[in-house]
Amino acid sequence: MTASRAIECPSCGGALAIKAAGHSVTLGCQYCGALLDVAHPDVAVISTYEGAVRSLPLPLGVRGTLFETEWEVIGALERSDDEIGWTEFLLFSPYAGYRWLVSSEGEWQFGTMLLDRPVNDGDTTIWRGKEYDLDYDPASTTTDRVVGEFYWRVRAGDRVNAATYSCGDETLSAEWTGDEISWTQLIPLSDYTIRTAFVPPPGAPRKTFGRKGGPPRPGAGAASSPGFLSRAHDDFMSARAMRQDDLMKMFLIGLATIMASLFVMVGFGISTQSVENTLNIAVDGQEQSLTIGTLTINRPHQPVTISARSSSFDNRWIDLDYMLVDRATQRAHTAYGVVERYSGTDSDGAWTEGGYSATVKFSSIPRGTYDVVVDAGAHAWPAPLTTSIMTSAPPGGSEPGPWDLPQATSWSDGERIELRFTASAGGIMWSNLWLEMALLFGLPLIILWWRSD
Amino acid sequence: MTQRLYLFAAWCLLIFAGSVAASYYAWSPFSDEDRGGTATVRGPTHK
């Protein structure tokens, strides 16, 4: 068991407690930031800290249980490289020794110093039979701030070279200066785990744990515990595939882009004019033509949307040949649509297919006045047999038997279907949005899939 | 921000510019124009 030792900061007079007395040699004052030498009975100031002491995601002195061991946060280092900064908390247990808790951009990792040295081979490292791949090229990291106590002499401005190697959700961190190298195994922990494990000491000011909200209140009941959604969010964020660097930011940037694009699409897609008309068409009768109305395109280019909605029918399809005829040039833009619905029964039971409406979109229609024309033909299914089959005699020259006669023709005798058309200048090309989503989220999803593999 | 994030942001900007241009010109690679007409017999695809 290691005893605590109380000292007074020579710089600011703040009351400090050395948690691992006898082990700690450096102490960063949590009040004024002064770096103290506590290895000797006469505590001396190594350096003072210019500027206010900022709050930490985890306050010094807080205790928490991780992996069935109670740890106390006794020190914190703020470190950075050329790209990002992170905080490393030194945990201490009188029974288990020292561990690390690393907080980087809201993600947490639990670090254990390795006593057996991994075998390094360029971009891969082998430790206890597992192969770890190099994440990034080695980078120089700087200690920007020191708070609390440490078992070695550390001060702001210290620089070491560092590299990380990953195998699944596990990371090995290597740091070296000169000939000395230290290895640390890092295991991801969820934000929820950290928030529930570490509770501030009674009377301590509440601080924000990690990137989300405050810590759970000691002694509070179920009402204050994180809800299912919050926990699910934390679990999702801490899943190994989401862990590390910038994947979440990529999703957020992609989402913001999609929202901005949607806003623009809706703005340009607002309908400026709309016409309607109705057609009553005979099933298996003559194809009928209808001028739905006249549309004027006022912008340089605009989409045209035509929707058709029918009365109820079954086992029929209606071919719709649309034309937009420019009154000035008589040039026609054509498109095909179909309204179809079928139903039946098989060994799995009843089934239906299709629907009573269909929408067709013309893209990039230039400015002008257009007649919107549709040629519609309704057909029964099964289709009537062709004339050649109906009139052909079976082999042997006898007259066609009753099994050869088409029965479908009689099903649609006199049947009519009403179609209501709506044509409008404008519309949103949703397919563009789906394509954009595929292009934007493809890369992050590939990374997500690759990491979770 | 990492270099990869900068590249991805640039890619998003490019896609957004394309989206704005497509919206302005009302262009889509998946419009219904010039699709096959009425020549075929249709029916359910249910099996």
Side-chain angles (χ1 to χ4, degrees):
Chain A
M1 188 94 181
T2 305
S4 291
R5 177 184 151 209
I7 61 166
E8 189 176 275
C9 176
S11 180
C12 69
L16 303 171
I18 304 173
K19 305 294 183 182
H23 297 284
S24 296
V25 296
T26 302
L27 175 67
C29 177
Q30 64 195 79
Y31 305 111
C32 68
L35 199 58
L36 312 176
D37 182 350
V38 295
H40 304 288
D42 298 326
V43 176
V45 176
I46 298 173
S47 64
T48 55
Y49 184 80
E50 297 297 329
V53 175
R54 289 160 292 176
S55 61
L56 293 165
L58 279 179
L60 294 186
V62 71
R63 294 186 180 192
T65 301
L66 293 172
F67 304 106
E68 300 176 348
T69 301
E70 188 185 50
W71 305 97
E72 181 170 351
V73 179
I74 65 170
L77 299 175
E78 284 188 353
R79 306 179 70 186
S80 64
D81 57 20
D82 291 339
E83 293 182 349
I84 60 169
W86 64 94
T87 306
E88 298 179 3
F89 295 95
L90 184 60
L91 307 180
F92 177 70
S93 161
Y95 305 104
Y98 295 98
R99 296 292 187 278
W100 289 102
L101 199 56
V102 182
S103 169
S104 175
E105 298 187 330
E107 311 297 330
W108 294 89
Q109 288 175 304
F110 184 82
T112 304
M113 288 72 84
L114 301 188
L115 300 177
D116 48 339
R117 187 170 174 168
V119 178
N120 186 242
D121 181 19
D123 288 350
T124 59
T125 284
I126 296 172
W127 181 60
R128 297 188 180 178
K130 287 169 72 174
E131 191 171 300
Y132 296 75
D133 296 321
L134 180 67
D135 290 327
Y136 301 102
D137 289 334
S140 175
T141 67
T142 305
T143 300
D144 301 312
R145 181 187 170 207
V146 180
V147 181
E149 59 188 89
F150 297 89
Y151 55 86
W152 79 102
R153 296 203 181 280
V154 59
R155 59 194 306 170
D158 284 355
R159 296 178 73 88
V160 295
N161 293 311
T164 58
Y165 300 79
S166 289
C167 176
D169 60 352
E170 200 176 301
T171 302
L172 293 184
S173 166
E175 295 187 358
W176 65 95
T177 51
D179 294 336
E180 186 179 332
I181 183 168
S182 64
W183 288 87
T184 305
Q185 178 202 28
L186 296 165
I187 298 169
L189 292 176
S190 73
D191 189 51
Y192 174 73
T193 302
I194 299 299
R195 281 193 289 134
T196 52
F198 288 90
V199 178
R206 295 197 179 282
K207 294 180 183 293
T208 299
F209 280 23
R211 66 182 179 281
K212 282 173 62 61
R217 285 173 288 177
S224 67
S225 63
F228 171 77
L229 285 177
S230 172
R231 207 174 308 177
H233 173 265
D234 287 341
D235 289 345
F236 174 74
M237 293 294 291
S238 62
R240 70 177 185 179
M242 291 301 294
R243 188 173 56 80
Q244 294 177 342
D245 58 67
D246 50 11
L247 190 56
M248 196 62 207
K249 287 180 181 173
M250 291 173 84
F251 274 112
L252 291 176
I253 292 173
L255 191 63
T257 307
I258 287 293
M259 295 304 291
S261 297
L262 184 61
F263 185 75
V264 171
M265 282 181 189
V266 170
F268 279 109
I270 291 174
S271 176
T272 54
Q273 188 193 355
S274 184
V275 292
E276 288 187 355
N277 212 335
T278 304
L279 178 66
N280 202 295
I281 187 170
V283 176
D284 284 332
Q286 287 286 320
E287 191 175 86
Q288 289 180 246
S289 188
L290 171 75
T291 300
I292 298 172
T294 302
L295 286 178
T296 301
I297 305 296
N298 296 314
R299 296 179 191 154
H301 292 88
Q302 209 170 356
V304 169
T305 305
I306 305 175
S307 61
R309 184 162 191 84
S310 77
S311 57
S312 178
F313 63 82
D314 205 20
N315 291 324
R316 307 282 183 262
W317 85 88
I318 306 163
D319 290 316
L320 301 167
D321 287 309
Y322 294 108
M323 278 183 292
L324 294 181
V325 183
D326 189 337
R327 283 190 169 181
T329 64
Q330 292 302 304
R331 185 193 165 201
H333 300 262
T334 62
Y336 170 71
V338 63
V339 178
E340 56 186 338
R341 188 181 187 280
Y342 312 98
S343 69
T345 304
D346 60 14
S347 58
D348 294 330
W351 55 268
T352 63
E353 193 177 308
Y356 299 114
S357 63
T359 300
V360 162
K361 287 179 180 170
F362 291 78
S363 67
S364 204
I365 300 300
R367 192 195 307 268
T369 302
Y370 294 85
D371 288 322
V372 185
V373 181
V374 59
D375 294 330
H379 310 277
W381 177 83
L385 297 179
T386 61
T387 305
S388 60
I389 295 174
M390 288 163 56
T391 56
S392 65
S398 61
E399 292 296 316
W403 56 85
D404 294 318
L405 294 175
Q407 300 196 11
T409 48
S410 62
W411 296 353
S412 56
D413 283 349
E415 180 183 347
R416 302 187 76 81
I417 295 174
E418 186 178 273
L419 284 164
R420 181 154 195 83
F421 296 95
T422 303
S424 57
I428 299 173
M429 295 292 187
W430 293 110
S431 54
N432 285 13
L433 194 69
W434 308 140
L435 177 65
E436 189 177 340
M437 288 176 78
L439 291 173
L440 286 177
F441 292 124
L443 180 63
L445 286 174
I446 288 171
I447 294 172
L448 194 65
W449 167 77
W450 178 73
R451 284 185 181 173
S452 57
D453 184 16
Chain B
M1 280 178 52
T2 61
Q3 187 181 17
R4 186 173 69 176
L5 202 58
Y6 277 117
L7 285 172
F8 183 73
W11 170 245
C12 287
L13 206 61
L14 187 70
I15 296 292
F16 178 68
S19 172
V20 171
S23 296
Y24 179 78
Y25 290 104
W27 179 83
S28 171
F30 306 107
S31 71
D32 298 303
E33 293 165 79
D34 302 323
R35 199 188 284 174
T38 59
T40 58
V41 173
R42 300 187 69 90
T45 55
H46 179 85
K47 290 184 179 176

